[in-house]
């Protein structure tokens, strides 16, 4: 009787906190915060919820860790040789792109502004502000202005993307909004009607960076 050759068992990657967090980020990107459950995460990881609890205490800790992982990725670049302005622009754009790719991050951070992920961003901005030789009494204001702009605009851009229907065309959407602007009352909305054409063709990232440059110009002009 011929012996049957046994297939080697497929080795699975050991469950770790890093693997859980990575899977949580993927799940959040797919279904959002409301869909992040330990049951769904366990199915994705092919394990039981109890095994996940061994590494993460609950959803609050998991959300914080997932957010921290995304934000940390944006601030780990080497900017040693960059000017303060270049470093701030790069950091700001990294946060903008992170919010764009992971819209749930902005929502979470808006609820927890004092959490460690954004404190690290604030620290890096503040150090670059100091390198611009901003007087000590004005450093908090300058760093806060940059921080608030970055979080506000990046968060709003991510929120705008969530309002679009799946498969919606951004150009068509902006064109429809611009058309509404052009039809507003000319006495009450004279300026808005004037810039409606710019809304149609604007680039979100370019406009975001232009705003950063305006703030940096103001900061340096006061010195």
């Amino acid at each position: 009787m011929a012996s049957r050759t046994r297939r080697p068992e497929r080795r699975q990657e050991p469950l770790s906190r890093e693997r859980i967090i990575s899977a949580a980020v993927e799940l959040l990107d797919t279904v959002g915060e409301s869909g992040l459950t330990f049951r769904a995460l366990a199915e994705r990881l092919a394990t039981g919820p109890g095994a996940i609890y061994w590494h993460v205490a609950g959803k609050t800790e998991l959300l914080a860790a997932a957010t921290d992982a995304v934000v940390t990725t944006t601030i780990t670049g080497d900017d040693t040789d960059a000017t303060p302005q270049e470093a701030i622009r790069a950091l700001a754009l990294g946060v903008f792109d992170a919010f764009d790719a992971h819209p749930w991050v902005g929502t979470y951070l808006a609820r927890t502004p004092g959490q460690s992920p954004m404190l690290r961003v604030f620290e890096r901005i503040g150090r670059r502000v100091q390198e611009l030789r901003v007087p000590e009494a004005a450093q908090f204001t300058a760093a806060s202005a940059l921080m608030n702009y970055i979080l506000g605009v990046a968060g709003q851009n991510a929120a705008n993307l969530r309002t679009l229907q799946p498969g919606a065309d951004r150009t068509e959407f902006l064109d429809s909004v611009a058309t509404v602007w052009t039809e507003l009352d000319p006495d009450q909305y004279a300026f808005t009607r004037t810039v409606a054409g710019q809304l149609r063709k604007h680039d979100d990232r370019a406009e975001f960076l232009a705003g950063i440059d305006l703030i940096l110009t103001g900061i340096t002009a006061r010195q």
Side-chain angles (χ1 to χ4, degrees), residues 62-160:
L62 185 59
L63 269 171
T67 302
D68 187 67
V70 171
V71 173
T72 298
T73 302
T74 71
I75 61 176
T76 53
D78 183 11
D79 57 6
T80 305
D81 298 326
T83 66
Q85 291 91 335
E86 290 171 344
I88 289 172
R89 290 177 93 254
L91 178 61
L93 192 58
V95 174
F96 183 90
D97 289 341
F99 280 28
D100 185 70
H102 312 281
W104 51 272
V105 171
T107 303
Y108 176 79
L109 290 174
R111 300 198 308 263
T112 56
Q115 294 288 342
S116 60
M118 296 320 295
L119 283 179
R120 288 201 293 275
V121 175
F122 186 67
E123 176 67 21
R124 293 192 65 155
I125 291 173
R127 293 189 182 191
R128 291 304 189 171
V129 165
Q130 289 177 327
E131 292 175 8
L132 289 171
R133 300 187 181 280
V134 175
E136 185 175 351
Q139 289 175 6
F140 173 77
T141 300
S144 295
L146 285 164
M147 184 76 163
N148 291 333
Y149 175 84
I150 292 169
L151 293 183
V153 177
Q156 186 59 55
N157 179 73
N160 291 342

Side-chain angles (χ1 to χ4, degrees), residues 180-198:
V180 172
W181 284 16
T182 61
E183 296 171 352
L184 293 171
D185 185 289
D187 294 326
Q188 296 186 32
Y189 299 98
F191 172 77
T192 303
R193 285 166 55 94
T194 301
V195 298
Q198 296 178 44

